């Protein structure tokens, strides 16, 4: 078993620290956010992630997982240090790498003997090599500091399962020294058959952004097809199903709707586009510009449809918004399409009432002025329009006949294409679904 540290305890880092401890390693995790560290040390997860909190408690109770705010302690504790800090969207779509360099700068003076730093954050190609130069220049151990990049592919909502049993482990290295240590850290998933793909640093950095670019492209592709279906009077749902049976295409990430959001895909494709532009790769710039534009266009389409159902203007209309998280099983509201739509509704004079099973506290931090309702029926009280914007399974269980009793007008836009339209229509609702004919 290894002594490892995890730097940055957000969605990625906290999950990684908990799962490494659960695999049997001694783990020390650090964050600059003292409140986060105090909560984690008490066994509290500051975000919604199914299964994470019990596993955190189990491993803090056993003493295998500890938390600190001291980089000196981190430097002397570990042989392997995982860098998991945030890389949010910066100016002009470029990745903001200030946390990466700050974390490396805080750690370096405390690296006194041979060790391995492993980057997990998503970064533009070329970043890892700069981090390596910074570390070696500032660390007392100098060239004995080794760097590898091990991008993370976990999905929020499935983070524990994806961390304990990833479908592949990608490792970018500069020498043969890193691989044996990584094999030791990931011994359990490797024994279970997870493939380890070892490559150079730059390729490993690119694998992550290429994977996200592909996923985003697939979503925007089907949403482009939804636009075609609407224009041609066709139906995107059977179209997607028929495409998905082709093994070369596959069914996953082929769900039409409101498009992607969250803390990863949007900022990752924009950062990738910025890097491609810097490197003069115009084909990738053009591709990702279109992917982003189709994605953002879905929000406009929902708003246009909302205006249409309201007779041209949303001013004074009561709108119930179902779902504020960027996707179900998460309370993440970063770049949430639903928040963007709420902003427009409010700007156009609508009276908005929001419901979400778990994400309202996070949303309230970003949009304190929005009205949040404790239940779907309270959100829908007197509504002229209901918008289904996040496909929580709870919403599929809504009884449309019961909801009809509380709304002002029975009009719903299903922007996630997951409600049983027939059921709603039978209960007297006018149902509008992106990419499907209006019956
Ligand atoms: P996050 O914002 O939830 O967490 C980042 C954490 O880093 C915060 O707790 C912050 O306080 C901490 N931090 C910032 N500067 C620091 C410093 N100098 N020293 C120590 N800690 C510091 O972000 P996240 O969602 O966990 O993402 C982290 C990285 O992982 C990003 O590059 C992201 O693209 C990538 N990633 C995220 C996911 C995901 O599902 N969230 C999946 C794969 C990859």
């Amino acid at each position: 078993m290894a002594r490892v540290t995890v730097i940055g305890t957000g969605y990625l880092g906290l999950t990684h620290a908990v799962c490494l401890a659960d695999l049997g390693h001694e783990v020390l995790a650090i964050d600059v956010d003292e409140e986060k560290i105090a909560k984690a040390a008490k066994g509290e997860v500051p975000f919604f992630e199914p299964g994470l909190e019990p596993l955190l408690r189990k491993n803090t109770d056993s003493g295998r997982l500890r938390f600190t705010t001291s980089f000196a302690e981190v430097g002397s504790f570990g042989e392997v240090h995982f860098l998991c800090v945030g890389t949010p969207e910066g100016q002009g779509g470029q990745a903001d790498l200030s946390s990466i360099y700050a974390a490396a700068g805080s750690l370096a003076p405390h690296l006194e003997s041979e060790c391995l730093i492993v980057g997990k954050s998503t970064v533009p190609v070329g970043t890892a090599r700069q981090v390596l130069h910074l570390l070696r220049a500032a660390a007392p151990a100098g060239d004995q500091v080794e760097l590898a990049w091990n991008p993370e592919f976990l999905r929020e909502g499935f983070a524990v399962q994806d961390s304990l049993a990833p479908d592949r482990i990608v490792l970018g290295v500069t020498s043969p020294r890193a691989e044996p240590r990584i094999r030791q850290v990931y011994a359990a998933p490797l024994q279970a058959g997870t493939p380890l793909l070892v490559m150079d640093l730059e390729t490993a950095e690119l694998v992550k952004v290429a994977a996200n670019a592909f996923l985003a492209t697939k979503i925007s592709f089907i949403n482009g097809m939804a636009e075609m279906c609407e224009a041609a009077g066709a139906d995107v749902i059977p179209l997607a199903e028929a495409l998905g049976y082709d093994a070369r295409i596959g069914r996953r990430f082929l769900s039409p709707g409101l498009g992607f959001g969250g803390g990863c895909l949007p900022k990752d494709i924009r950062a990738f586009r910025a890097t491609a532009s810097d490197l003069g790769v115009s084909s990738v710039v053009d591709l990702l510009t279109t992917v982003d534009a189709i994605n953002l266009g879905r929000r406009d389409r929902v708003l246009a449809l909302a205006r249409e159902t309201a007779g041209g203007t949303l001013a004074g209309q009561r709108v119930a918004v179902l779902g504020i998280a960027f996707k179900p099983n998460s309370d993440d509201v970063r770049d949430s399409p639903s928040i963007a739509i709420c902003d427009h509704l409010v700007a156009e004079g609508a009276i908005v009432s929001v419901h979400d099973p778990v994400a309202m506290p996070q949303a309230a931090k970003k949009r304190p002025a929005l009205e949040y309702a404790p239940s779907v029926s309270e959100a829908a009280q007197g509504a002229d329009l209901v918008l289904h914007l996040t496909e929580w399974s709870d919403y599929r269980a809504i009884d449309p006949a019961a909801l009809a009793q509380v709304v002002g007008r029975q009009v719903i836009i299903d922007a996630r294409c997951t409600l049983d339209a027939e059921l709603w229509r039978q209960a007297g609702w006018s149902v509008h679904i992106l990419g499907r004919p209006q019956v």
Side-chain angles (χ1 to χ4, degrees):
M1 288 303 150
R3 285 164 72 85
V4 303
T5 80
V6 173
I7 301 163
T9 60
Y11 282 90
L12 162 62
L14 186 59
T15 310
H16 192 59
V18 167
C19 291
L20 286 181
D22 208 57
L23 292 176
H25 302 298
E26 295 284 319
V27 183
L28 180 65
I30 185 169
D31 202 289
V32 286
D33 185 334
E34 291 179 10
E35 205 183 312
K36 245 183 207 177
I37 287 295
K39 275 194 169 169
K42 282 193 277 176
E44 287 172 31
V45 175
F47 49 85
F48 178 81
E49 185 57 48
L52 186 58
E53 200 156 276
L55 219 53
L56 168 65
R57 293 237 168 90
K58 176 184 155 199
N59 287 286
T60 45
D61 287 351
S62 75
R64 268 205 304 272
L65 173 58
R66 292 191 303 108
F67 294 89
T68 183
T69 51
S70 157
F71 273 97
E73 200 185 339
V74 162
S76 60
F77 178 87
E79 305 145 355
V80 182
H81 305 280
F82 285 96
L83 205 48
C84 299
V85 299
T87 51
E89 187 170 335
Q91 282 205 332
Q94 305 229 346
D96 176 352
L97 298 174
S98 54
S99 294
I100 290 275
Y101 292 120
S106 303
L107 178 65
H110 306 290
L111 299 176
E112 296 192 345
S113 55
E114 195 188 337
C115 60
L116 174 66
I117 317 301
V118 186
K120 287 197 78 64
S121 304
T122 305
V123 292
V125 59
T127 307
R129 213 163 279 279
Q130 289 196 29
V131 172
L132 177 60
H133 290 147
L134 185 157
L135 287 168
R136 285 194 172 156
D143 285 356
Q144 286 187 293
V145 175
E146 187 70 25
L147 180 96
W149 217 264
N150 166 222
E152 178 59 56
F153 300 96
L154 68 77
R155 299 160 299 163
E156 286 175 21
F158 303 90
V160 171
Q161 164 193 335
D162 288 350
S163 297
L164 290 174
D167 46 20
R168 79 286 212 195
I169 297 170
V170 170
L171 186 67
V173 297
T174 59
S175 82
R177 282 197 289 174
E179 189 182 333
R181 286 201 162 177
I182 283 294
R183 283 192 174 276
Q184 186 195 6
V185 172
Y186 291 130
L190 292 174
Q191 264 163 23
T194 300
L196 172 67
L197 303 148
V198 182
M199 57 197 74
D200 59 81
L201 280 183
E202 286 73 15
T203 307
E205 290 169 310
L206 270 177
V207 168
K208 172 63 191 179
V209 286
N212 276 0
F214 185 82
L215 295 172
T217 302
K218 203 169 173 191
I219 296 171
S220 280
F221 174 82
I222 198 63
N223 282 331
M225 294 308 109
E227 283 178 31
M228 276 303 291
C229 286
E230 279 192 34
D235 189 341
V236 72
I237 295 296
L239 178 123
E241 191 186 353
L243 290 178
Y245 276 108
D246 187 328
R248 295 167 303 175
I249 296 173
R251 183 69 192 87
R252 296 175 72 191
F253 271 65
L254 212 57
S255 303
L258 184 50
F260 55 83
C264 290
L265 287 191
K267 62 111 175 146
D268 287 350
I269 63 161
R270 286 172 202 146
F272 194 11
R273 180 176 56 195
T275 311
S277 173
D278 289 347
L279 295 173
V281 186
S282 60
S283 56
V284 171
V285 174
D286 294 347
L287 172 71
L288 296 178
T289 301
T290 303
V291 167
D292 201 13
I294 292 177
N295 192 54
L296 295 176
R298 303 312 285 162
R299 303 170 188 190
D300 297 337
R301 179 70 192 118
V302 171
L303 287 161
L305 210 47
R307 270 180 229 114
E308 234 174 77
T309 65
T313 173
L314 287 163
Q317 295 286 304
R318 298 194 73 88
V319 182
V321 167
L322 304 188
I324 196 92
F326 89 93
K327 68 170 187 179
N329 298 318
S330 170
D331 66 350
D332 197 343
V333 294
R334 290 179 287 184
D335 211 334
S336 162
S338 175
I339 287 197
I341 287 175
C342 287
D343 288 347
H344 279 280
L345 291 171
V346 170
E348 292 183 35
I351 304 143
V352 179
S353 184
V354 175
H355 175 266
D356 189 287
V358 303
M360 291 193 288
Q362 295 294 347
K365 288 184 199 160
K366 291 204 169 180
R367 296 291 187 277
L370 276 177
E371 182 188 309
Y372 297 93
S375 67
V376 170
S377 64
E378 281 159 281
Q381 207 63 239
D384 299 297
L385 170 65
V386 177
L387 294 181
H388 176 235
L389 301 186
T390 312
E391 66 275 34
W392 286 96
S393 59
D394 304 28
Y395 297 150
R396 277 198 296 280
I398 292 172
D399 175 359
L403 203 65
Q405 304 302 312
V406 303
V407 293
R409 286 174 67 219
Q410 284 179 256
V411 184
I412 183 163
I413 297 176
D414 179 8
R416 293 298 183 175
C417 312
T418 54
L419 298 179
D420 182 344
E422 220 18 69
L423 199 70
W424 284 74
R425 285 188 183 121
Q426 279 166 10
W429 287 77
S430 164
V431 185
H432 303 260
I433 306 176
L434 295 192
R436 304 201 79 174
Q438 173 67 22
V439 190

